[in-house]
Amino acid sequence: MYKDTAVFNLIHKELERQRNGIELIASENFTSLEVMKAMGTVPTNKYAEGYPGKRYYGGCEVVDEIEQLAIDRLKKIFNCSWANVQPHSGASANAAVFLAVMKPGEKFLGLDLSMGGHLTHGSPANFSGKTYHALHYGVTKEGIVDYEQLEAKARAEKPKMIICGASAYSRDWDYKRIRAVADEIGAVVFADIAHPAGLIASGLLNDPFDHCHIVSSTTHKTLRGPRGGIIMLRHDFENPWGLKDPKGNLRTMSSLLDLAVFPGSQGGPLEHVIAAKAVAFGEILSDDFKSYGKQVITNAQAMAKAFVGRGYNLISNGTDNHLMLIDLRNKNITGKKAQETLDKAHITLNKNAVPFDDKSPFVTSGIRVGVPAVTTRGMKEVDMEIVVNLIDKVLMNAHDEKLIESVKEEVKGFMKQFPLYPEL
Ligand code: DSN
């Protein structure tokens, strides 16, 4: 029987990389072993186009129960009336929202990618910017969402949809204000909470569901589940915008979104991943998860303070959530060089454009730093000081290969205090 050693050796190598490094990519996390176990199971063998109770193939009675459990748990987490757990990723979830709400060429308004937004919020390189007419708002020079600009553009251009949410924004959102202007012009408000979802689930940030018509997220960032996407509605509503399905029938928002996921943009759902989502949602409903969310925010604030204490320039001067964006221009190092040099010391983060950046997206003036993953590994405020010291040492000595090698060894020793998957 064929037995693969090449792939499993590489997977083990990746495990060691994760164990020995400090993971600060704001969109990454470590799932529980239970979540991973669920992913490697037999529902991967099953085709189940459709939804629980309404499938195209036979033999779906068990995956129906799995998917329904995931839906029910997710609805409980966010106090929703409807949820779809099938999107393969956050980008797929967002593609389905566009498909349900917009016709090609129609206008929508989202945060500019260069100001912290996401590719699927209208980047010219993405389906959202290629298929629809993307308009953008930005942030002020203080680094806060420019709500006045958003309102002015909304009133002038009358987009069909306004997207709130970001990939590199460290402050909370004023969803109520966005909804108010959307109501003036009759627009749909769509919140992409992929980054802060876990903090929202724990009640630690403003609740988008009160004001936004549609909410999407990934499941693998602060929600600490498997890689995937979800779409939710708190209130399924009659469809005041007169949105129609592909056959021209008026439908409720939930049924338009279900149709947009399947058959609109996906085929068979990944039921093994949906099983893992259900496990993660069960974990989120526990009290432990709320303490995790609180520690994420406490750690992010401790880290922000430590960076500011060493003269780093934080966009918006701090953070409300799990991440911070740092402008490195006063430190004479680009985002690219910072990322590459820190990588050599096994400290992983990403270069990131800062608002009004004068460098290309491939170089950038900044870095994005997030704490969800290190918090999962058990780090507390005092550890944030240590991590910032290590980062500062590397960035201030970026050409000293010997020193960077010694930091790498220091990082490896430090991370032994925070075991990762000791069972594996
Ligand atoms: N790639 C994700 C991030 O890093 O924020 C967004 O999809």
Side-chain angles (χ1 to χ4, degrees), residues 79 83 91-92 109 114 117 194 201 207 235 265 280 315 327 337 394 410:
N79 188 19
S92 308
L109 184 56
S114 68
D207 184 350
H235 311 288
S265 53
I315 304 301
D327 185 338
K337 179 76 181 165
V394 172
E410 212 179 320

Side-chain angles (χ1 to χ4, degrees), residues 71-84 193 207 209 213 215 230-236:
I71 292 169
D72 292 343
R73 287 181 178 176
L74 180 58
K75 279 161 62 178
K76 200 161 168 201
I77 292 170
F78 289 107
N79 188 19
C80 291
S81 64
W82 171 89
N84 188 310
I193 61 167
D207 184 350
F209 288 90
H213 300 105
V215 178
I230 44 180
I231 311 174
M232 298 155 284
L233 301 175
R234 177 159 294 164
H235 311 288
D236 191 7

Side-chain angles (χ1 to χ4, degrees), residues 105-159:
E106 286 185 334
K107 290 180 187 172
F108 72 97
L109 184 56
L111 180 63
D112 201 307
L113 182 61
S114 68
M115 299 271 176
H118 188 251
L119 275 173
T120 58
H121 301 180
S123 157
N126 182 262
F127 78 88
S128 54
K130 287 180 192 285
T131 315
Y132 308 98
H133 182 158
L135 302 160
H136 289 116
Y137 57 93
V139 297
T140 61
K141 58 181 189 318
E142 289 77 30
I144 307 293
V145 163
D146 191 339
Y147 290 98
E148 281 179 21
Q149 186 191 37
L150 184 158
E151 288 162 343
K153 282 210 176 175
R155 289 184 185 117
E157 300 276 359
K158 303 210 173 12

Side-chain angles (χ1 to χ4, degrees), residues 27 118 167 195 221 368:
S27 48
H118 188 251
S167 284
H195 265 267
K221 298 186 175 93
R368 186 185 66 163

